[in-house]
Amino acid sequence: MNNLLKKFYIDPFLLAMLTVVGTATILPCQGSAKTFFSYLTTLAIALLFFMHGAKLSRQAITEGIRHWRLHLVVFCSTFILFPLIGLGLQILVPHWLSPELYLGFLYLCALPATVQSAIAFTSVAGGNVAAAVCSASASSILGVFLSPILVGLMMPTSGNSVDTTAAIESILLQLMLPFVAGHLARSLLANWIHKHKVWINRTDRSSILLVVYVAFSDAVVEGLWHKVNLGTIGMIVMLSLLMLFLVLSINTLVARLLGFNRADEITIVFCGSKKSLANGVPMANVLFPASIVGIMLLPLMIFHQLQLMICAVLAQRYARLNETAQYKISS
C-alpha cells in the first residue's frame, strides 16, 4: 500500500480527509454534539497555531531575508497573480461554476503558501532552501493579515461581502495570538518539540481533520451533496489544473526573464505555486458562516492534492537536470 501511495504521489492525509468527509456525510454532528464540537474546534485551532508559532525558529524567519528580489516575486505570485486568476474565473459563473464554488476558488487564491511542502520540494529539486524557508515562513505569517483583506476585496464581485475589520480581529484573536504565544514560548518548548515532533505533527493534522468534520457536517445538513455531483468535482479538478499550470508557467518565465539562477528559479516555482491547507481550513472556519464552509473548502482540498502530485514530478525533473548539469561540469 505504501509503495502504491509513493508511486502515484497520493497524500495519505488527503485519504484521511476523504474518510472524514464520508463520516460527516453519514454521521454529521448536530444538536448538542454540534455545540460540543464547535468549542472543541475552537480549542483545536488555537492549539494548531500555538504549535506553528512554537515550531518556527527566528533563524528560519531571518534566513535569506536579504534576497528581496526573489521574495518579492514569490509574494506577487501568492498574493497578486493567484487572486487575478481567481477573479478571471467569474466568467464561468453561474453556467459552469456555482456561486458557492466560485467563492471557494477566490478563497483558495487569497491564501498564503505552504511551508513544509514548499521547502521539501525546493530541497529535492536542488533549489535555494534558505530562501525557500524565509519566503514560505513569511508568506504564512503575512497571510494571517493579507488573506482576510484579499477575501474582503474580492468577495463583493460575486454579490457577497466580508467584514474585513471583523475578520482581521477574529484572525488576530483566534489565530495570531496563539501563534505569537507559541513563538514566545519556543525557548521553553524547543527541546520538547524536537523530541515529540512526530506526535505534534499528528496533533496538527488531527486538528485540521476535526475542523473539516465540523465544516462538512454543517454543509451536509445544508444539502451539500444536492449541490455537488461528479461533474462539479471534474470541473474543480480541471480548473485547479489550469490554475496550477498557469502559475507554474508564469513563475518559471518571470524567474528566467529576471535573470535568476536555476536554484532561485526552483525556489520561486515551488514557493510561488503553493496554497496552504493547514492555514486555509481553520481560517475559513473563522471567516465564513458554518453553512458554507464545507462547500468552499472543496477547491482547496482538491488543489492541495494536485499541487503535491504535480510538484513532486516537477521536483524530480529539476533534480535530474541538476544531476545532468553536474555530470557535464565534472566531465
Side-chain angles (χ1 to χ4, degrees):
M1 181 65 176
N2 289 334
N3 291 333
L4 182 64
L5 293 178
K6 291 179 181 179
K7 182 178 179 180
F8 291 100
Y9 304 104
I10 299 174
D11 183 8
F13 184 50
L14 179 75
L15 298 180
M17 278 201 298
L18 292 176
T19 302
V20 168
V21 170
T23 303
T25 300
I26 300 170
L27 295 172
C29 61
Q30 303 180 64
S32 58
K34 178 182 176 180
T35 302
F36 169 76
F37 275 104
S38 296
Y39 285 118
L40 186 61
T41 299
T42 300
L43 292 174
I45 291 173
L47 176 62
L48 176 68
F49 275 80
F50 178 86
M51 296 312 303
H52 278 328
K55 287 188 293 184
L56 190 62
S57 68
R58 293 180 186 177
Q59 180 181 358
I61 297 174
T62 58
E63 189 77 37
I65 201 165
R66 294 180 181 177
H67 209 343
W68 64 269
R69 290 176 66 245
L70 182 149
H71 303 320
L72 182 61
V73 173
V74 171
F75 293 158
C76 286
S77 176
T78 302
F79 297 115
I80 296 178
L81 177 59
F82 263 106
L84 288 176
I85 294 174
L87 290 172
L89 295 179
Q90 189 178 13
I91 62 174
L92 300 177
V93 181
H95 299 294
W96 296 94
L97 200 61
S98 71
E100 294 91 348
L101 285 175
Y102 175 57
L103 291 181
F105 274 105
L106 287 180
Y107 177 63
L108 158 67
C109 291
L111 289 173
T114 62
V115 177
Q116 291 90 344
S117 64
I119 296 169
F121 285 132
T122 299
S123 177
V124 170
N128 187 335
V129 176
V133 170
C134 182
S135 278
S137 301
S139 175
S140 182
I141 295 171
L142 288 174
V144 174
F145 299 98
L146 290 181
S147 293
I149 294 174
L150 286 173
V151 168
L153 291 173
M154 292 192 293
M155 290 303 183
T157 63
S158 59
N160 295 271
S161 60
V162 173
D163 186 339
T164 305
T165 302
I168 293 177
E169 289 177 356
S170 296
I171 291 291
L172 287 174
L173 181 62
Q174 298 184 44
L175 306 184
M176 199 62 184
L177 183 60
F179 180 90
V180 172
H183 188 66
L184 292 176
R186 175 176 167 77
S187 59
L188 301 175
L189 299 174
N191 292 333
W192 184 86
I193 290 172
H194 179 73
K195 190 179 298 184
H196 299 90
K197 60 182 179 181
V198 174
W199 286 104
I200 290 172
N201 288 336
R202 290 176 180 174
T203 301
D204 285 354
R205 296 191 168 202
S206 297
S207 299
I208 296 172
L209 291 175
L210 177 61
V211 176
V212 169
Y213 172 68
V214 174
F216 272 85
S217 291
D218 284 317
V220 168
V221 173
E222 294 290 328
L224 170 66
W225 300 121
H226 295 292
K227 304 174 184 177
V228 176
N229 52 36
L230 289 178
T232 302
I233 298 295
M235 176 61 71
I236 296 173
V237 171
M238 184 184 72
L239 290 177
S240 296
L241 287 172
L242 176 61
M243 184 182 300
L244 190 56
F245 174 78
L246 283 174
V247 172
L248 289 171
S249 300
I250 292 172
N251 283 344
T252 302
L253 179 62
V254 168
R256 293 176 182 178
L257 288 176
L258 293 179
F260 287 100
N261 59 35
R262 179 174 291 172
D264 289 343
E265 174 190 319
I266 290 169
T267 303
I268 291 169
V269 166
F270 288 118
C271 290
S273 63
K274 298 289 181 298
K275 287 296 178 177
S276 176
L277 184 73
N279 284 359
V281 172
M283 197 177 292
N285 198 65
V286 174
L287 289 175
F288 304 111
S291 59
I292 67 169
V293 168
I295 193 169
M296 286 188 62
L297 287 177
L298 279 177
L300 176 59
M301 291 172 62
I302 291 174
F303 185 88
H304 171 79
Q305 177 60 22
L306 291 175
Q307 73 182 7
L308 292 178
M309 295 169 63
I310 292 173
C311 288
V313 175
L314 187 58
Q316 293 297 331
R317 181 177 179 275
Y318 269 120
R320 287 193 296 270
L321 288 174
N322 286 334
E323 289 175 2
T324 302
Q326 291 175 0
Y327 175 78
K328 289 181 178 179
I329 292 174
S330 62
S331 297

